[in-house]
Amino acid sequence: MNINTVMLDESQTNLGGVETRQEAKICAELFRQHRDAIHGVVVLLPNFGDEKVIAEALRLAGLNVPVLVQAEEDNLDKMGLATRRDSFCGKISLCNNLRQYGIPFTLTRQHVCALIGEIFMQDLQRFSQLCRVVNAMRRVWVGAIGARPAGFNTVRYSEKMLEKMGIAVETLDLSEIFTRTNRLRYDDIRVAEKREILEANADARGIPGEKLQTMAKLFVVISEWVSDNDIDTTAIQCWTSLQENLGINVCSIMSVMSGQLMPSACEVDVMGALSMYALASCSLNPASLADWNNNFGEERDKCVLFHCGNFASASLESPTMGTADIIGTTVGKENTCGAWLDEKRRSDLLPPLNR
């Protein structure tokens, strides 16, 4: 599963376990020495264990990372004094102590399960994903480009509340974007490189060359700002200022970034961008954000998802760059080049809502 471990061995404690307060201190010191490498702790209970010293070891280590508690199952033919485990009971006691100590923990799907078994392997896989999300979200930087649309109160958020959770927001006004974009020359090598990426990401044969060049220039500006500020995910004011000032949509650029696991959300939806980043960190695959737009005829467990562009190209059957018809009714269709056109989306993008 490609998981690196930090464990006690028999030279440090009895059988490499934690049964006394002294062993708890040794374990905590080992964890502190590897603090930066530890993203989660798995507690294994081969028997009842010692509820107090395990909780004490975690408290002394002070890692503040996710904790998974596993307890080995008993066998009915091994219930004698020398062979019974009592892990079933020990896990209850340990978890009670963890709650008293204020240490959050995760449980396996079965109260007890075999350490070497498919059930625990699945639990461990899920836990590793949880650890990736927690680790990623504690140090994430969000880039907010432009202001949210005035009528979209649904995307409002509090920077101060996010900061309390360790999430930083870096802002950039669209006027700065326009100035930097207009300063770039069309023959700049960086522009040529970005255009090549855009054309490789989708069929762009229907887009005028000058529009592709403008998109490429905008892509250079956004990419360099993201790199200079260590941005992990972005939320962009995607309409209507971009169309009115540059004559393009930013959708295709956002698609490329989402495909690179640097998700980009529309309408300065910072919370949406964070949700995409959490999903991408969990699965290590691109995440997409769409509107739950319409009912699907009489099939009440389905709906029609719609969006004009932040889907990674890998999520589509035949991604094609085109224009945005809806926005085009107000800014002119010719000013919306860069939107996505693809009706053959993979079936897994439209799952039944009750799945």
Side-chain angles (χ1 to χ4, degrees):
M1 297 180 68
N2 197 30
I3 296 176
N4 297 321
T5 59
V6 176
M7 301 174 59
L8 292 168
D9 59 40
E10 295 183 12
S11 69
Q12 296 169 297
T13 64
N14 182 36
L15 300 177
V18 177
E19 299 177 298
T20 67
R21 178 169 173 77
Q22 187 60 33
E23 289 176 339
K25 292 167 67 175
I26 294 172
C27 179
E29 177 60 25
L30 176 68
F31 284 178
R32 285 195 298 269
Q33 291 173 4
H34 297 274
R35 176 186 299 275
D36 292 341
I38 297 175
H39 295 165
V41 174
V42 180
V43 177
L44 306 176
L45 293 175
N47 52 32
F48 187 95
D50 190 302
E51 61 198 64
K52 184 176 180 180
V53 297
I54 295 173
E56 187 68 14
L58 293 172
R59 180 161 68 178
L60 290 172
L63 298 179
N64 192 27
V65 297
V67 175
L68 174 66
V69 182
Q70 181 268 354
E72 190 70 19
E73 58 191 8
D74 268 308
N75 297 319
L76 289 178
D77 61 347
K78 296 181 179 180
M79 296 294 287
L81 289 177
T83 55
R84 62 191 290 175
R85 295 180 182 275
D86 291 344
S87 305
F88 191 105
C89 182
K91 182 173 180 178
I92 297 172
S93 297
L94 170 59
C95 291
N96 181 281
N97 274 259
L98 293 177
R99 188 174 294 277
Q100 291 183 48
Y101 279 49
I103 299 173
F105 57 90
T106 298
L107 299 174
T108 51
R109 283 176 299 164
Q110 296 180 354
H111 182 63
V112 291
C113 58
L115 182 62
I116 302 176
E118 183 61 27
I119 294 297
F120 182 62
M121 289 300 101
Q122 293 174 2
D123 286 331
L124 194 57
Q125 176 64 37
R126 180 175 176 272
F127 183 66
S128 69
Q129 293 175 314
L130 170 65
C131 292
R132 281 203 302 267
V133 173
V134 171
N135 184 57
M137 299 305 287
R138 282 178 171 166
R139 53 178 177 78
V140 61
W141 280 72
V142 188
I145 301 176
R148 67 170 176 83
F152 279 43
N153 281 358
T154 49
V155 300
R156 291 194 293 186
Y157 68 97
S158 168
E159 285 190 43
K160 290 182 178 180
M161 291 181 68
L162 290 179
E163 188 62 49
K164 287 181 179 180
M165 294 182 285
I167 298 172
V169 179
E170 188 76 16
T171 61
L172 181 65
D173 192 82
L174 275 183
S175 63
E176 296 182 60
I177 289 282
F178 299 148
T179 299
R180 297 177 193 181
T181 300
N182 291 328
R183 283 176 181 168
L184 279 173
R185 292 170 54 91
Y186 284 117
D187 59 358
D188 191 307
I189 185 63
R190 295 170 296 172
V191 175
E193 290 172 349
K194 293 301 184 185
R195 176 169 175 170
E196 184 176 337
I197 292 173
L198 289 169
E199 292 179 315
N201 194 55
D203 184 350
R205 289 175 294 180
I207 303 298
E210 66 272 15
K211 297 291 187 179
L212 284 170
Q213 286 294 92
T214 303
M215 267 185 263
K217 289 170 63 177
L218 176 60
F219 197 180
V220 170
V221 171
I222 292 176
S223 296
E224 292 187 350
W225 179 75
V226 165
S227 177
D228 291 344
N229 291 278
D230 291 326
I231 302 298
D232 298 298
T233 182
T234 54
I236 301 175
Q237 181 187 341
C238 55
W239 59 276
T240 55
S241 185
L242 275 167
Q243 292 77 16
E244 293 169 344
N245 287 276
L246 296 181
I248 58 170
N249 268 32
V250 71
C251 307
S252 294
I253 298 171
M254 299 169 73
S255 168
V256 173
M257 292 193 293
S258 292
Q260 296 171 339
L261 302 187
M262 299 176 63
S264 191
C266 297
E267 292 139 359
V268 202
D269 184 4
V270 166
M271 301 309 293
L274 286 170
S275 299
M276 293 170 71
Y277 186 68
L279 287 170
S281 299
C282 174
S283 67
L284 298 180
N285 285 299
S288 301
L289 193 64
D291 297 327
W292 297 43
N293 220 61
N294 312 91
N295 61 289
F296 196 79
E298 295 300 318
E299 298 192 53
R300 301 303 176 183
D301 63 346
K302 293 183 180 180
C303 73
V304 177
L305 302 179
F306 168 83
H307 219 292
C308 50
N310 64 20
F311 284 90
S313 60
S315 302
L316 307 175
E317 292 291 346
S318 54
T320 303
M321 198 184 300
T323 56
D325 293 340
I326 297 176
I327 301 176
T329 61
T330 57
V331 299
K333 197 172 179 180
E334 70 280 1
N335 293 316
T336 64
C337 292
W340 282 97
L341 301 175
D342 184 56
E343 296 180 357
K344 296 181 180 179
R345 294 186 181 159
R346 294 180 177 175
S347 59
D348 58 0
L349 290 177
L350 290 172
L353 300 184
N354 59 1
R355 181 171 295 174

